[in-house]
Amino acid sequence: MFTPVLNRLVTRIAGNGTSRFNVLLRHRGRRSGRTYATPVVGMRVPGGFAIPMAFGEGADWYRNIVAAGGATIRQHGTEHQLTDPAAIDPDSATSPFPGWQRPVFRALGIRRFLFLKGS
């Protein structure tokens, strides 16, 4: 009962600049075609954005974005069109994360990120 109310509130404020890490992720349902707005933690990295995949690659929002080939993120009130979704390992040689962040992700149990290309 409380979750739908909380989701509506968080969706309104996500990506508008009140939080440094919250962004609003807009994606299209892979079967329904419906447009969804999902508040997530996201960060700008060189070449695009990265979103921690706390629930793994089975999350609907992740599967929708991969199927569509992209999504839109609202960060600080600005919409960013993003493409080429890819799951990345923060410890890989091609990781966009600075070395000091990698042990933090490991400590938090974050093993994969969704990387989306864009500005």
Side-chain angles (χ1 to χ4, degrees), residues 8-83:
R8 281 194 298 275
L9 174 65
V10 172
T11 299
R12 280 193 202 128
I13 63 173
N16 70 5
T18 56
S19 172
R20 183 172 175 203
F21 296 110
N22 283 344
V23 298
L24 188 65
L25 180 62
R26 297 182 197 277
H27 52 97
R28 186 163 305 279
R30 63 195 175 282
R31 290 187 296 250
S32 69
R34 181 177 165 202
T35 300
Y36 293 94
T38 305
V40 296
V41 172
M43 60 196 85
R44 185 181 287 278
V45 295
F49 281 83
I51 302 167
M53 293 174 27
F55 299 106
E57 295 176 26
D60 281 329
W61 63 263
Y62 171 79
R63 294 168 56 198
N64 288 343
I65 292 168
V66 169
T72 302
I73 282 182
R74 182 177 74 193
Q75 182 190 44
H76 305 300
T78 303
E79 299 282 333
H80 302 272
Q81 294 293 327
L82 306 171
T83 60

Side-chain angles (χ1 to χ4, degrees), residues 2 6 13 35 37 39-40 44 48-49 64 71 88-89 94 103 110 113-115 118:
F2 179 69
L6 181 61
I13 63 173
T35 300
V40 296
R44 185 181 287 278
F49 281 83
N64 288 343
I88 61 170
D89 179 344
T94 59
I110 301 170
F113 282 81
L114 172 63
F115 175 74

